[in-house]
């Protein structure tokens, strides 16, 4: 493991990919508003990305590792407040990705009246993520690193890498189980 890398570095790199998907979502959203239809394939992709990558991978590391470690520290009130806000925003994201995904499943089966049931939660995500990422990148991540020793930072970085390593195994184990269930 390369020393002197802050554990927030992988999180900030992940933000750049999330921002790219948010940009794609914005373009699809704008086009859908004009056409009054949306690509079901794109919504399937966006919902999967937001669920698996943004939430399970990215928010998973934040909540299960960084926030858990921070909870053991005596945080300044402003850092505790931001952490609580971030946790609430993660929940808002999860809720809206779920709504978007559920509506997409009916939409793909021909229920075109559900367009707004896709676009409304999508609008929430488009509003939420730029501010959420800015809050983490510019106001939370770096100040929070001061709570940890060099050893603690290295241990956290190792936990992040281990967390990511296990995700691919979990994802494909679930895919195989779904396929097995179809073939019963």
């Amino acid at each position: 493991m390369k020393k002197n890398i802050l554990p927030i570095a992988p999180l900030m790199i992940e933000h750049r990919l999330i921002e790219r998907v948010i940009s794609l979502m914005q373009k699809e959203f704008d086009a859908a508003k004009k056409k009054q239809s949306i690509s079901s394939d794109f919504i399937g992709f966006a919902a999967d990305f937001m669920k698996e990558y943004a939430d399970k991978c990215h928010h998973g590391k934040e909540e299960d590792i960084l926030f858990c470690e921070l909870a053991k520290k005596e945080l300044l009130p402003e850092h505790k407040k931001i952490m609580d806000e971030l946790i609430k925003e993660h929940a808002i994201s999860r809720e809206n990705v779920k709504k978007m995904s559920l509506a997409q499943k009916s939409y793909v089966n021909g229920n075109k009246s559900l367009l707004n049931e896709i676009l409304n939660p999508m609008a929430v995500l488009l509003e939420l993520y730029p501010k959420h990422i800015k809050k983490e990148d510019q106001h939370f991540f770096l100040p929070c690193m001061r709570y940890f020793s060099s050893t603690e930072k290295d241990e956290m970085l190792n936990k992040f890498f281990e967390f990511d390593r296990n995700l691919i195994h979990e994802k494909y184990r679930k895919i195989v189980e779904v396929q097995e269930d179809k073939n019963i």
Side-chain angles (χ1 to χ4, degrees):
M1 183 78 41
K2 191 171 183 176
K3 299 293 178 186
N4 300 325
I5 295 176
L6 291 175
I8 58 172
L11 298 175
M12 293 175 84
I13 290 167
E14 290 167 3
H15 279 168
R16 305 298 72 85
L17 188 59
I18 294 167
E19 288 170 333
R20 289 167 60 192
V21 172
I22 292 297
S23 177
L24 292 170
M25 287 172 65
Q26 184 67 61
K27 289 177 187 169
E28 191 68 27
F29 179 86
D30 293 342
K33 288 293 244 186
K34 287 179 187 164
K35 296 184 304 186
Q36 285 301 296
S37 70
I38 195 161
S39 164
S40 187
D41 288 343
F42 180 82
I43 295 306
F45 153 75
D48 180 67
F49 178 88
M50 297 306 289
K51 180 181 174 197
E52 297 296 325
Y53 187 84
D55 191 46
K56 190 177 264 186
C57 176
H58 180 73
H59 297 162
K61 284 195 289 290
E62 289 176 343
E63 292 177 357
D64 296 348
I65 300 170
L66 176 61
F67 296 173
C68 281
E69 294 300 321
L70 283 168
K72 299 173 187 175
K73 307 289 183 179
E74 192 172 321
L75 301 182
L76 292 173
E78 61 264 26
H79 297 147
K80 173 73 171 116
K81 179 180 181 274
I82 292 173
M83 188 168 75
D84 291 343
E85 289 171 0
L86 295 172
I87 291 167
K88 286 178 187 167
E89 290 167 6
H90 291 174
I92 291 167
S93 172
R94 277 182 204 107
E95 175 186 324
N96 282 280
V97 168
K98 183 177 181 179
K99 287 178 184 177
M100 191 171 73
S101 183
L102 289 172
Q104 183 262 354
K105 288 178 180 144
S106 292
Y107 187 82
V108 78
N109 289 328
N111 191 348
K112 302 302 181 192
S113 67
L114 290 178
L115 179 63
N116 284 333
E117 301 301 315
I118 294 171
L119 294 180
N120 291 340
M122 194 176 190
V124 171
L125 297 170
L126 293 171
E127 175 75 19
L128 175 77
Y129 268 92
K131 294 174 185 174
H132 178 82
I133 288 172
K134 182 177 181 179
K135 185 185 302 184
E136 287 180 339
D137 283 356
Q138 295 181 11
H139 304 289
F140 187 70
F141 283 165
L142 204 52
C144 286
M145 290 296 98
R146 295 184 197 126
Y147 291 104
F148 301 106
S149 69
S150 293
T151 302
E152 289 172 320
K153 290 175 197 170
D154 289 342
E155 288 170 359
M156 191 180 314
L157 190 59
N158 285 330
K159 287 179 183 178
F160 282 178
F161 288 129
E162 185 65 20
F163 184 95
D164 282 348
R165 191 177 71 75
N166 289 330
L167 278 181
I168 194 156
H169 297 287
E170 179 183 335
K171 179 175 178 141
Y172 286 101
R173 185 172 32 257
K174 286 181 182 176
I175 289 171
V176 169
E177 289 169 359
V178 166
Q179 291 303 316
E180 288 170 338
D181 288 344
K182 287 181 180 178
N183 290 315
I184 291 179

